[in-house]
Amino acid sequence: MNPDRPSGKDYVGSDALYADVQHTMRLCAEMNTGWHTEAEVREYLRQITGGEIPDTVRVFAPLHINYGPGVSFGDDCFLNFGCTLLAIGGITIGDGAFVGPHCVLATEYHPEDPATRHSLLTKPIAIGRNAWLGANVTVLAGVTIGENAIVAAGSVVTKDVPPDTVVAGTPARIIREIHKG
């Protein structure tokens, strides 16, 4: 995440957050319109996040982000078509991570109590080094996906995923350990 900006949760509901969200959505709309080279997409991501984007990052647009300063991309990571990052709580995508098409990473949620449900709560998401999220995976607020873990397509991840495991289902559960070598 951009160290020069407060995390979104530090100013949820503020005019500054609203301005950042509008700025991010405008840049995403521009990035998602027409065809752009990988270098042009990375330049949009630099503007969206306000931070460094390694030249090895690959993103297939469209990509939807609501709060750019909340997202950081590691070396050699890849995001496929149609991903949505609700990033006010902060999202870290580790080196070599793969994020399949139409994945949703949602750091934001609402209280259960109807009296306070219109307020916004956040918790960060971390996708570990070399983790792989299959198509249509949803990762909820506060979840860490461990290094080398695989999340099967269509899963909803509500709890941390240990390193070197395969998880699947709704909610995602450990299926087995990763087979190595």
Side-chain angles (χ1 to χ4, degrees):
M1 291 188 308
N2 182 351
D4 298 329
R5 304 296 290 238
S7 67
K9 68 181 179 177
D10 293 334
Y11 65 147
V12 166
S14 74
D15 290 341
L17 176 62
Y18 182 77
D20 282 343
V21 167
Q22 293 300 305
H23 177 74
T24 297
M25 291 184 346
R26 180 183 59 79
L27 289 170
C28 282
E30 290 175 14
M31 178 180 69
N32 293 333
T33 304
W35 183 85
H36 300 283
T37 66
E38 286 183 8
E40 290 169 334
V41 170
R42 282 191 296 273
E43 184 53 38
Y44 272 110
L45 292 174
R46 287 180 183 106
Q47 293 175 46
I48 288 167
T49 64
E52 282 303 310
I53 301 294
D55 287 338
T56 55
V57 167
R58 292 179 61 211
V59 171
F60 289 173
L63 172 64
H64 305 283
I65 303 172
N66 69 336
Y67 180 69
V71 183
S72 68
F73 296 89
D75 287 322
D76 296 316
C77 68
F78 170 69
L79 277 70
N80 213 323
F81 298 100
C83 292
T84 299
L85 309 181
L86 300 177
I88 292 174
I91 295 174
T92 302
I93 301 170
D95 295 345
F98 289 170
V99 179
H102 302 286
C103 287
V104 175
L105 307 181
T107 68
E108 303 151 26
Y109 62 104
H110 302 279
E112 186 176 303
D113 181 356
T116 59
R117 192 168 295 154
H118 287 275
S119 60
L120 186 65
L121 304 173
T122 67
K123 292 181 186 174
I125 290 174
I127 308 299
R129 188 174 153 273
N130 293 324
W132 174 19
L133 309 183
N136 294 302
V137 165
T138 298
V139 180
L140 298 182
V143 169
T144 295
I145 308 292
E147 184 173 315
N148 302 318
I150 298 172
V151 180
S155 297
V156 176
V157 186
T158 61
K159 296 180 181 174
D160 290 353
V161 175
D164 300 307
T165 59
V166 177
V167 300
T170 302
R173 300 193 192 297
I174 297 173
I175 302 301
R176 63 178 170 81
E177 292 186 9
I178 299 282
H179 300 296
K180 292 184 179 179

